[in-house]
Amino acid sequence: MSHEPQDALSRTALGVFRLNGQFLVVSEKLAEPAGLTAAWWQVLGAVLPEPLPVAGIARVMGITRQSVQRVADLLVREGLASYEPNPAHRRAKLLAPTEEGRAAVHRIDPGHAELAALLQRELGGPEAFEETVRVLERLSAALDAVERAGRDS
């Protein structure tokens, strides 16, 4: 039996773990001048388009509800977010960014844009960058499908 798929999975997992570490380091550097941490930025970024319950944020981010709850509570305490009533669920409040929270995220934009341009150049241009994104999205969707199939069987 060939070990090629197993070896590819191992290399992929190690590469993604390394990427995660690299993204955390870069995200901390980008977020620091705005008075945020990478985790604060991540949670605020999830609710910029629309308020979400903590469980919804956790689902989108692929992390535990408890982790998001800790960050959400800190964001509220710091005045960067607020809890709002949720018409769909009485107890699960929605997390929404405050104007101060939106302003903090927007202070990251110049560094974020600069990093995106550098990565695009390093990857070989816009098409190569988009292909990288598509491959990572396909990998995530495939893992979701495998997990769902495992739950259903």
Side-chain angles (χ1 to χ4, degrees):
M1 180 173 166
S2 171
H3 290 281
E4 287 178 25
Q6 187 175 349
D7 292 342
L9 175 59
S10 294
R11 288 182 23 236
T12 300
L14 290 172
V16 169
F17 294 152
R18 180 182 167 120
L19 273 172
N20 182 57
Q22 290 171 309
F23 270 113
L24 288 173
V25 168
V26 165
S27 296
E28 289 292 346
K29 287 179 186 173
L30 288 172
E32 185 179 19
L36 301 175
T37 67
W40 291 17
W41 178 21
Q42 191 176 20
V43 171
L44 277 172
V47 296
L48 283 179
E50 66 177 340
L52 293 170
V54 166
I57 298 166
R59 240 185 330 276
V60 168
M61 293 171 45
I63 59 177
T64 67
R65 189 197 61 74
Q66 293 84 352
S67 297
V68 175
Q69 187 68 64
R70 279 192 298 274
V71 172
D73 289 343
L74 287 169
L75 291 169
V76 169
R77 191 177 76 218
E78 295 296 319
L80 298 168
S82 63
Y83 288 117
E84 299 179 349
N86 183 348
H89 194 286
R90 199 170 36 126
R91 288 187 21 216
K93 301 246 183 275
L94 299 174
L95 185 71
T98 61
E99 286 307 312
E100 186 180 342
R102 285 182 185 283
V105 171
H106 289 306
R107 285 194 297 274
I108 297 170
D109 285 347
H112 190 250
E114 182 182 349
L115 177 60
L118 290 170
L119 281 174
Q120 180 172 284
R121 187 179 71 228
E122 196 62 34
L123 286 167
E127 296 82 15
F129 203 168
E130 281 301 318
E131 178 60 20
T132 300
V133 172
R134 281 191 295 276
V135 167
L136 290 171
E137 289 171 344
R138 276 182 33 225
L139 177 60
S140 180
L143 282 170
D144 283 343
V146 167
E147 184 182 346
R148 275 192 308 276
R151 283 193 309 251
D152 295 343
S153 57

